[in-house]
DNA sequence: GAGTTTGAAACT
DNA sequence: CAGTTTCAAACTC
């Protein structure tokens, strides 16, 4: 079998890149974006090589599934991105072939593999990707390890073709500029396919679409592992993982053979200023998501639940927010390899600064060797990178074996150890049995916190940190979580606010005041917008700008769904103040859409399990669906949406929550 | 930047 | 499972 390297080489063929760049689509995009693509960035190749590899099941965690979707999405995106290029399909095929080659080799090699490559690949094609910022997109790819795929990667092909078709539908059918939103939305839908067989699910979706448009949908090849069976059994976690995967960046779990790739990938992938942005595809994480925390760090950020949303967000951001500044700041710096690629101290500094925000923080481990969950990087499933201040760090590609072994060990102890800490409400409901009606928050911490002194008002509290309310699973004392108290009081409880204020006045400490202020701000936001996921999302968006400050809001991960610790990675990195307005408007738009549709068009961003919940809590009261409808039940979603996009749900069986309650 | 606080993770 | 210790992030000064 080919060595990983070889595959990499194959995959990363510069040729393809050139093609893309030369393609009309690419040009078109360039014309739209102020950012100038950086052709020199090879990164994508890495991932490309990895693309389609089906992650072995090293990581047994559910996250794996998500990667699939994401990767597909990306890939799709690529394909779709080239509307004008009739050859696109052929290109896709080529890529696929390359990917396949890589796949085979990789798959065998490491069970750990990640789909990252796919993502990356995606980037490469993505016009946006050209710029460093574009790389952020790649982050999405960080997606968790996806389930193993057929060697031939036929499924990918199929999906790619399908995507292409989708694109055609959007672009050609409508003439003119591609309907990116639509594409994204579709993509998100795709992501939704939690089943390992996304392809299958995707296919269904496509079929639907095809029936409408008359497009022919390629058939999946029998050899692929993603065959139907899995589609049915898609675990919810898979979905979440998507989110998570997104977050995770830099996980380069490269196999020894792939190292080269990883380094490259890292560099390019990370392009974003913050790690967050950078995809750390992590090793572990990928497993998925990320935690959220990660927003940046989050390398992993992607939370399962929110994966799709995250993706969308990322996509949106990338698509719309690429700015020169971003390009500038987002110099790709992938964790592990960052150093290698930093061309100048200045760049480095920029990167660090950019990443300095919460989102991009890295670990500072001194005794754990970054091989324990104490280490945020490790917990997130990513390798430590330059920004880390850790000592005796073993969480590096060089020690891959050790990392994997340790990871396995930890997972053996607690299978969910690397799962996103924050679970979407739907999941949590299922898993924890939490009553959605009582918990406004869109998500919950999988295990719940155990705060004694922080009143769940500080980041010491994982729930708070994750931007979610406390639940019955929490054993906290004096819970005043602004996102939702354990007792079920509203997230943005005014009471809590007052209490906090009182406390603040009493102490009248500047620091404290600051903190409270922050809390209040959040509350304010929430007050205005009831604690629906949407509101949360919005909140985050609004607050993101501040996220850089210390006490700021919890990592966006929450939005993501979790990135949990790992996932936490929200996209704050992506969001820059200047971009916020755009995002907001976009978000608004999405919401508006929802209104119009009456929910049907729920923001794709929120798609996922959260959707259900969102609707349930919807402020406008338009869709108050039964709490459990949910999420778990695919059918329900379908029912909601006549559009068919939700077909995805079909593929997703109502599965038990991924995260087991402890 | 150093020291303290906090709560999760790890250990017993 | 509960109690204790270890650890690193969060926070304070």
């Amino acid at each position: 079998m080919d060595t990983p390297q070889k595959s990499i080489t194959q995959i990363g063929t510069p040729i393809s890149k050139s093609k893309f760049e030369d393609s009309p689509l690419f040009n078109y995009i360039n014309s739209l974006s102020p950012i100038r693509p950086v052709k020199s960035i090879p990164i994508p190749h890495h991932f490309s090589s990895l693309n389609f590899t089906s992650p072995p099941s090293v990581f047994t965690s559910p996250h794996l599934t998500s990667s699939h979707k994401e990767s597909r999405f990306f890939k799709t995106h690529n394909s779709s991105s080239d509307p004008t290029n009739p050859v696109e399909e052929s290109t896709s095929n080529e890529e696929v072939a390359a990917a396949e080659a890589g796949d085979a080799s990789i798959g065998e090699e490491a069970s750990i593999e990640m789909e990252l490559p796919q993502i990356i690949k995606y980037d490469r094609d993505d016009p946006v990707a050209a710029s460093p910022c574009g790389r952020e997109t790649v982050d999405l790819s960080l997606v968790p390890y996806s389930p193993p795929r057929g060697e031939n990667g036929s499924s990918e092909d199929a999906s790619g073709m399908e995507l292409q078709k989708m694109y055609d539908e959007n672009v050609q059918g409508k003439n003119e500029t591609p309907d990116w939103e639509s594409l994204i939305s579709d993509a998100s839908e795709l992501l939704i396919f939690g089943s390992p067989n996304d392809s299958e699910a995707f296919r269904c979706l496509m079929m639907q679409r095809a029936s409408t448009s008359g497009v022919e949908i390629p058939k999946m090849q029998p050899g692929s592992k993603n065959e139907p069976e899995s589609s049915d059994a898609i675990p919810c976690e898979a979905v979440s993982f998507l989110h998570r995967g997104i977050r995770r960046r830099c996980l380069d779990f490269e196999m020894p053979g792939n190292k080269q790739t990883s380094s490259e990938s890292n560099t390019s992938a990370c392009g974003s200023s913050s790690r967050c942005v950078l995809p750390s595809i992590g090793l572990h994480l990928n497993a998925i998501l990320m935690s959220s925390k990660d927003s940046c760090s989050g390398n992993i950020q992607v939370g399962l639940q929110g994966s799709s949303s995250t993706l969308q967000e990322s996509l949106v951001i990338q698509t719309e927010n690429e700015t020169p500044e971003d390009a500038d700041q987002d110099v790709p710096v992938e964790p592990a390899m960052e150093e290698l690629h930093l061309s100048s101290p200045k760049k480095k500094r920029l990167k660090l600064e950019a990443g300095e925000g919460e989102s991009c923080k890295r670990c500072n481990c001194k005794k754990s060797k970054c091989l324990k969950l104490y280490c945020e990087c490790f917990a997130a499933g990513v390798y430590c990178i330059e920004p880390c201040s850790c000592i005796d760090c073993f969480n590096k590609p060089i020690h891959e074996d050790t990392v994997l072994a340790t990871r396995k060990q930890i997972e053996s102890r607690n299978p969910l150890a690397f799962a996103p800490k924050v679970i979407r409400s739907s999941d949590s409901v299922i898993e924890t049995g939490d009553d959605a009606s009582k918990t406004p928050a869109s998500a919950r911490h999988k295990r719940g916190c155990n705060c004694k002194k922080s009143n769940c008002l500080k980041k010491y509290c994982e729930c708070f940190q994750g931007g979610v309310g406390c639940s019955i699973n929490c054993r906290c004392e004096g819970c005043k979580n602004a996102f939702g108290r354990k007792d079920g009081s509203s997230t943005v409880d005014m009471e809590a606010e007052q209490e906090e204020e009182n406390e603040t006045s009493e102490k009248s400490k500047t620091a404290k005041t600051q903190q409270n202020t922050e809390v209040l701000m959040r509350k304010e936001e929430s007050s205005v917008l009831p604690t629906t996921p949407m509101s949360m999302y919005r909140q985050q968006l609004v607050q993101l700008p501040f996220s850089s400050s210390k006490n700021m809001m919890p990592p966006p991960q929450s939005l993501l769904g979790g990135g949990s610790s790992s996932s936490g990675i929200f996209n704050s990195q992506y969001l820059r103040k200047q971009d916020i307005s755009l995002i907001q408007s976009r978000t608004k738009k999405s919401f508006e859409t929802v209104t119009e549709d009456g929910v049907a068009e729920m923001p794709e961003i929120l798609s996922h399990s959260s959707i259900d919940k969102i609707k349930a809590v919807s402020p406008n009261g338009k869709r108050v669906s039964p709490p459990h409808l949910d999420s778990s039940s695919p059918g329900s979603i379908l029912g909601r949406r006549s559009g068919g996009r939700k077909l995805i749900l079909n593929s997703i069986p109502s599965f038990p929550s991924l995260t087991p309650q402890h």
Side-chain angles (χ1 to χ4, degrees):
Chain A
M1 121 179 211
D2 295 345
T3 62
Q5 262 191 339
K6 181 177 181 179
S7 57
I8 290 167
T9 302
Q10 289 177 343
I11 293 168
T13 57
I15 294 170
S16 16
K17 185 177 182 177
S18 325
K19 268 188 176 181
F20 279 90
E21 289 180 356
D22 291 341
S23 71
L25 178 59
F26 186 83
N27 292 332
Y28 173 76
I29 293 167
N30 282 337
S31 65
L32 294 176
S33 171
I35 298 169
R36 299 279 89 172
V38 178
K39 292 180 180 181
S40 61
I41 300 169
I43 306 163
H45 301 292
H46 283 313
F47 297 126
S48 303
S49 63
L50 296 180
N51 274 347
F52 308 111
T53 53
S54 36
S57 47
V58 173
F59 297 118
T60 50
S61 34
H63 329 322
L64 301 183
T65 357
S66 52
S67 57
H68 239 358
K69 304 157 190 176
E70 285 184 2
S71 55
R72 269 192 192 171
F73 175 89
F74 291 112
K75 183 171 186 178
T76 303
H77 190 51
N78 287 341
S79 307
S80 59
S81 63
D82 200 82
T84 56
N85 187 356
V87 181
E88 182 180 359
E89 198 160 333
S90 63
T91 301
S92 296
N93 290 337
E94 285 182 16
E95 290 179 2
V96 171
E100 285 180 1
D103 215 352
S105 61
I106 292 170
E108 286 183 15
E109 250 186 302
S111 45
I112 300 171
E113 260 342 65
M114 25 228 161
E115 299 246 347
L116 210 62
Q118 290 181 2
I119 295 166
I120 293 169
K121 180 177 182 178
Y122 187 66
D123 268 357
R124 160 181 63 169
D125 296 290
D126 189 338
V128 175
S131 65
C133 296
R135 281 204 172 69
E136 291 178 356
T137 311
V138 175
D139 285 355
L140 295 181
S141 20
L142 295 181
V143 184
Y145 303 114
S146 56
R149 290 191 158 201
E151 288 184 355
N152 56 9
S154 59
S155 65
E156 274 295 58
D157 278 347
S159 63
M161 292 179 72
E162 290 173 350
L163 288 174
Q164 170 88 36
K165 289 186 177 173
M166 284 175 65
Y167 177 88
D168 289 345
E169 283 186 29
N170 281 290
V171 177
Q172 294 180 356
K174 294 178 181 178
N175 278 323
E176 293 247 346
T177 59
D179 181 340
W180 291 102
E181 265 188 77
S182 174
L183 287 174
I184 290 171
S185 175
D186 288 341
S188 59
E189 287 181 10
L190 290 175
L191 293 175
I192 293 171
F193 294 99
S195 69
N197 292 339
D198 298 343
S199 335
E200 188 68 7
F202 180 76
R203 201 153 165 284
C204 293
L205 176 65
M206 290 309 290
M207 289 293 274
Q208 245 191 19
R209 293 182 75 104
S211 63
T212 302
S213 63
V215 174
E216 184 181 357
I217 295 171
K219 243 187 173 177
M220 246 169 96
Q221 298 196 1
S224 71
K225 289 181 180 182
N226 297 332
E227 301 263 334
E229 50 189 277
S230 47
S231 63
D232 288 346
I234 301 168
C236 299
E237 286 183 4
V239 174
S240 333
F241 280 136
L242 263 173
H243 293 288
R244 236 192 188 199
I246 293 168
R247 295 281 168 188
R248 261 301 152 192
R249 318 159 173 194
C250 301
L251 285 183
D252 319 359
F253 244 158
E254 329 168 330
M255 301 295 121
N258 296 341
K259 278 192 175 174
Q260 171 190 354
T261 305
S262 63
S263 31
E264 280 184 15
S265 61
N266 284 342
T267 304
S268 52
C270 290
S272 42
S273 49
S274 54
R275 298 178 170 184
C276 312
V277 176
L278 300 181
S280 26
I281 300 185
L283 3 168
H284 344 287
L285 218 213
N286 305 296
I288 313 223
L289 310 215
M290 80 205 52
S291 91
S292 6
K293 256 174 185 203
D294 325 98
S295 333
C296 232
S297 46
N299 318 317
I300 304 178
Q301 278 183 345
V302 179
L304 298 187
Q305 304 100 0
S307 47
S308 58
S309 359
T310 303
L311 279 174
Q312 279 197 344
E313 288 177 3
S314 299
L315 290 173
V316 172
I317 292 169
Q318 289 180 344
T319 303
E320 298 186 0
N321 299 323
E322 295 285 353
T323 65
E325 201 175 323
D326 284 317
D328 208 7
Q329 293 180 354
D330 295 331
V331 175
V333 180
E334 206 5 323
M337 312 310 248
E338 258 178 346
E339 320 104 320
L340 297 178
H341 297 283
L342 291 175
S343 53
S344 68
K346 186 177 181 180
K347 263 188 177 179
K348 215 173 193 175
R349 188 168 59 81
L350 284 174
K351 280 199 235 168
L352 291 175
E353 286 179 1
E356 259 176 10
E358 292 182 357
S359 45
C360 296
K361 277 192 248 174
R362 277 304 202 166
C363 73
N364 190 34
C365 307
K366 299 199 169 39
K367 298 180 179 180
S368 68
K369 298 183 196 301
C370 298
L371 289 177
K372 294 194 174 183
L373 292 173
Y374 293 127
C375 175
E376 291 190 356
C377 300
F378 180 79
V382 299
Y383 288 119
C384 290
I385 58 174
E386 189 178 6
C388 294
S389 301
C390 43
I391 298 172
D392 293 334
C393 179
F394 276 72
N395 187 28
K396 295 185 176 179
I398 304 174
H399 301 291
E400 181 182 344
D401 294 343
T402 301
V403 173
L404 292 176
T406 303
R407 188 183 168 97
K408 280 186 177 181
Q409 186 179 2
I410 293 172
E411 286 188 325
S412 66
R413 196 193 309 154
N414 175 14
L416 298 176
F418 295 95
K421 292 180 180 178
V422 177
I423 301 169
R424 287 257 164 204
S425 60
S426 57
D427 289 348
S428 65
V429 171
I430 295 170
E431 291 179 4
T432 54
D434 196 34
D435 185 331
S437 62
K438 291 180 181 179
T439 56
S442 59
R444 287 285 182 270
H445 191 277
K446 92 184 165 190
R447 197 180 58 259
C449 67
N450 190 34
C451 306
K452 298 281 188 293
K453 299 179 179 180
S454 67
N455 297 136
C456 301
L457 288 173
K458 296 189 178 182
K459 291 178 92 176
Y460 293 127
C461 174
E462 292 195 349
C463 296
F464 181 85
Q465 186 175 50
V468 301
C470 289
S471 67
I472 56 176
N473 292 322
C474 297
R475 286 136 291 164
C476 49
E477 295 176 4
C479 180
K480 292 178 183 177
N481 191 331
F483 294 97
R485 297 185 187 182
K486 179 170 65 174
D487 61 10
S489 23
S490 125
T491 317
V492 186
D493 200 18
M494 290 304 287
E495 239 182 84
E497 207 175 284
Q498 288 182 341
E499 287 179 12
E500 289 178 9
E501 286 182 6
N502 291 334
E503 287 180 4
T504 302
S505 60
E506 287 177 3
K507 295 183 180 180
S508 74
K509 290 287 181 179
T510 305
K512 188 122 189 172
T513 302
Q514 262 189 329
Q515 194 173 45
N516 286 330
T517 301
E518 291 175 3
V519 172
L520 289 174
M521 287 176 68
R522 293 180 189 176
K523 287 181 177 180
E524 243 184 305
E525 263 296 321
S526 343
S527 306
V528 176
L529 304 176
T531 61
T532 61
M534 283 176 68
S535 63
M536 288 282 284
Y537 177 76
R538 191 172 167 188
Q539 247 184 322
Q540 287 186 352
L541 289 176
V542 173
Q543 296 174 347
L544 281 176
F546 306 99
S547 62
S548 54
S549 57
K550 289 182 179 181
N551 296 325
M552 289 327 257
M553 298 300 286
Q557 343 163 340
S558 37
L559 286 182
L560 295 183
S564 80
S565 34
S566 37
S567 32
I569 312 164
F570 177 56
N571 303 314
S572 51
Q573 316 162 3
Y574 301 112
L575 301 178
R576 291 198 162 73
K577 288 182 180 182
Q578 58 222 58
D579 296 337
I580 290 171
S581 60
L582 281 174
I583 294 169
Q584 284 183 318
S585 63
R586 184 151 193 139
T587 303
K588 222 175 188 176
K589 195 173 182 180
S590 298
F591 287 112
E592 287 176 359
T593 301
V594 172
T595 301
E596 290 177 6
D597 292 356
V599 176
E601 290 291 344
M602 187 59 178
E604 281 121 4
I605 296 170
L606 297 177
S607 63
H608 272 315
S609 52
S610 62
I611 293 171
D612 299 342
K613 194 141 202 173
I614 293 170
K615 289 180 179 182
V617 195
S618 175
N620 60 21
K622 276 190 173 181
R623 263 217 186 204
V624 178
S625 50
H628 298 286
L629 135 175
D630 14 0
S631 14
S632 40
S633 86
S636 61
I637 292 172
L638 287 173
R640 285 192 282 178
R641 290 185 80 155
S642 54
R645 285 185 177 182
K646 299 296 180 170
L647 288 177
I648 299 166
L649 293 178
N650 287 331
S651 63
I652 303 170
S654 41
F655 22 78
S657 57
L658 294 180
T659 53
Q661 299 288 324
H662 290 303

